[in-house]
């Protein structure tokens, strides 16, 4: 969901400039010709950030800032055409978060807005970080021992499959693979997001990606064969399969997901789910970059960067196809010789 920004300025051109560039950066913007109109709108429906002009007719920006601070900690940026130290000091004393002199450079405004939105998001995350109680953390630690054993077993089976193909001098579709167990913090965050209890039992009941294995294939055409091998491993049961290679997400993300259920031979634990993500090296590079971008912007990535990521994903898919074509041509040549 887009973050909403309210801006109050009696100069229409200033409001229009701010709206154009803020919307281009991915924000929803509502503009007001006076501070009292903004305040009324905020009381009815709060915004994520407020931009106030200091010198407005009626209640000026200082007055509105003071009133907002009585009811909210929303980030506030003050705008002024006067380079007065007194204005700056007054603005900060009243609780504003930033202060910009007019005329404002659009890029500078966007940078200040992004910084305040990101800071606020991090503060909110810090205040609401979910955790397991000491008893539940101890229970989860015991549960994770079994999950660790299952992970090692799965990695061993993938290694044997890869090694078997290599020893038989057959075409090997797997370039590399790796596995991980979700951390307690990550498990707690996901349970909270789902609205589930933050307990070891709840984690086992609701999460299918505590064990995650990533398999990197040589070519896009190899992904299906790897997925089929995983689904037919001895004793496993297919829980879910999602093909984001042929039907990528709107973000451009491509990968083939397979979730299987693995039996645990201890007579106590229920079968344990394992999530496989299968993709090419190029797809993996893109996914890593997208993750870094989303982390940098705390999930609120500017629209122009999201558009660029989609373009890159399409270019990478084209590159994967052309690389396979070269591989196919070389294979045909080898067959004739």
């Amino acid at each position: 969901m887009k973050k909403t920004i309210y801006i109050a300025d009696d100069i229409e051109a200033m409001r229009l400039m701010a709206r154009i560039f803020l919307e281009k950066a991915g924000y929803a913007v509502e503009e007001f010709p006076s501070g009292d109109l903004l305040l009324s709108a905020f009381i009815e429906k709060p915004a994520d950030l407020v931009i106030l002009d200091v010198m407005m007719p009626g209640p000026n920006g200082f007055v509105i800032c003071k009133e907002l601070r009585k009811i909210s900690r929303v980030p506030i940026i003050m705008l002024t055409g006067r380079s007065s130290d007194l204005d700056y000091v007054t603005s900060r004393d009243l609780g504003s978060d930033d202060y910009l002199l007019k005329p404002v450079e659009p890029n500078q405004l966007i940078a200040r807005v992004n910084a305040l939105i990101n800071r606020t998001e991090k503060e909110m995350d810090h205040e609401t970080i979910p955790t397991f109680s000491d008893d539940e953390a101890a229970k989860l630690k015991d549960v994770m021992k079994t999950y660790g054993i299952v992970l090692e077993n799965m990695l061993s089976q993938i290694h044997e499959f890869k090694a078997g193909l290599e020893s038989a001098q057959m075409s090997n579709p797997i370039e590399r693979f790796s596995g991980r167990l979700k951390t307690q913090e990550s498990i707690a965050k996901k349970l909270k997001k789902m609205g589930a209890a933050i307990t070891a039992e709840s984690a086992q009941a609701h999460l299918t990606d505590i064990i995650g294995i990533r398999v990197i294939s040589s070519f896009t055409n190899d992904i299906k064969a790897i997925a089929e091998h995983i689904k037919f491993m001895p004793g496993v049961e297919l829980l879910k399969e999602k093909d984001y290679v042929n039907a990528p997400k709107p973000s451009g993300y491509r990968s083939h997901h397979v979730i299987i259920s693995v039996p645990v031979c201890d007579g106590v634990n229920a079968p344990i789910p394992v999530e496989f993500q299968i993709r090419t090296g190029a797809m993996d590079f893109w996914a890593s970059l997208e993750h870094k971008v989303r982390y940098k912007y705390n999930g609120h990535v500017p629209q122009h960067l999201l558009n660029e990521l989609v373009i890159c994903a399409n270019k990478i898919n084209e590159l994967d196809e052309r690389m396979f074509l070269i591989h196919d041509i070389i294979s045909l040549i080898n067959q004739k010789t």
Side-chain angles (χ1 to χ4, degrees):
M1 183 181 294
K2 291 183 178 181
K3 295 293 183 181
T4 301
I5 297 174
Y6 287 175
I7 177 169
D9 196 308
D10 60 314
I11 301 175
E12 185 178 2
M14 178 63 202
R15 299 198 308 269
L16 180 61
M17 182 277 290
R19 171 187 284 276
I20 290 171
F21 284 94
L22 288 168
E23 287 183 342
K24 189 178 292 186
Y27 296 104
V29 181
E30 292 190 31
E31 54 181 281
F32 306 88
S34 66
D36 51 354
L37 290 176
L38 182 148
L39 182 60
S40 297
F42 188 93
I43 291 171
E44 184 176 338
K45 183 183 178 183
D48 297 293
L49 184 141
V50 170
I51 301 172
L52 294 172
D53 179 34
V54 172
M55 301 303 295
M56 287 185 288
N60 65 27
F62 292 144
V63 174
I64 301 302
C65 179
K66 185 177 180 179
E67 292 302 312
L68 284 171
R69 276 293 166 259
K70 292 178 181 178
I71 59 174
S72 175
R73 293 191 300 166
V74 64
I76 299 173
I77 297 176
M78 305 296 292
L79 304 179
T80 182
R82 304 189 308 182
S83 57
S84 166
D85 289 342
L86 180 59
D87 278 2
Y88 174 79
V89 172
T90 302
S91 168
R92 301 312 294 265
D93 284 346
L94 290 172
S96 73
D97 297 273
D98 210 338
Y99 183 90
L100 288 172
L101 289 174
K102 293 181 178 180
V104 180
E105 286 291 331
N107 290 338
Q108 186 182 31
L109 178 62
I110 299 301
R112 300 292 184 90
V113 168
N114 287 341
L116 284 174
I117 290 290
N118 289 337
R119 188 193 74 184
T120 304
E121 288 290 325
K122 288 176 182 178
E123 288 174 352
M124 291 175 62
D125 289 344
H126 180 71
E127 291 173 359
T128 60
I129 291 176
T131 57
F132 286 89
S133 68
D134 290 343
D135 286 345
E136 290 299 329
K139 291 178 184 178
L140 184 63
K141 187 175 181 181
D142 287 338
V143 168
M144 296 300 280
K145 292 177 183 177
T146 304
Y147 276 73
I149 293 170
V150 172
L151 172 61
E152 291 302 319
N153 180 46
M154 287 290 101
L155 291 175
S156 176
Q157 290 195 48
I158 295 296
H159 174 74
E160 289 175 6
F161 172 62
K162 184 174 185 293
L165 291 174
E166 289 173 348
S167 64
Q169 295 185 337
M170 296 175 65
S171 176
N172 182 11
I174 298 175
E175 287 286 336
R176 61 185 185 277
F177 59 93
S178 60
R180 63 99 185 102
L181 292 176
K182 261 189 183 306
T183 63
Q184 281 201 9
E185 180 183 353
S186 181
I187 291 171
K189 284 182 178 180
K190 189 157 189 178
L191 288 173
K192 181 181 179 181
K193 187 175 181 180
M194 296 171 68
I198 302 178
T199 65
E201 183 179 2
S202 181
Q204 290 176 279
H206 296 292
L207 302 186
T208 58
D209 63 344
I210 292 178
I211 299 175
I213 296 176
R214 185 176 303 165
V215 181
I216 306 303
S217 68
S218 302
F219 302 100
T220 305
N221 295 51
D222 295 325
I223 291 175
K224 191 69 175 177
I226 297 172
E228 289 302 307
H229 172 77
I230 291 168
K231 290 188 291 184
F232 290 100
M233 284 179 172
V236 308
E237 179 184 349
L238 177 65
L239 297 180
K240 189 175 182 180
E241 184 172 14
K242 194 71 177 179
D243 183 2
Y244 294 115
V245 175
N246 293 305
K249 293 184 179 181
S251 64
Y253 176 84
R254 285 177 168 85
S255 188
H256 194 104
H257 292 195
V258 176
I259 301 176
I260 59 172
S261 176
V262 180
V264 180
C265 302
D266 61 3
V268 178
N269 290 283
I272 290 177
V274 179
E275 181 184 70
F276 284 84
Q277 295 182 1
I278 313 160
R279 49 185 180 243
T280 66
M283 293 176 193
D284 193 53
F285 172 72
W286 182 94
S288 177
L289 175 62
E290 190 221 22
H291 177 76
K292 291 175 183 176
V293 170
R294 290 192 180 277
Y295 179 82
K296 171 70 175 177
Y297 287 94
N298 204 26
H300 306 289
V301 185
Q303 189 60 47
H304 69 279
L305 284 182
L306 293 175
N307 295 341
E308 191 64 30
L309 282 167
V310 172
I311 293 170
C312 288
N314 292 334
K315 292 288 186 182
I316 281 174
N317 184 56
E318 182 183 346
L319 177 64
D320 269 331
E321 292 177 351
R322 294 178 71 87
M323 293 292 284
F324 179 75
L325 178 61
I326 293 171
H327 168 76
D328 218 19
I329 292 172
I330 292 174
S331 297
L332 289 171
I333 293 172
N334 288 339
Q335 287 176 14
K336 291 180 178 179
T337 58

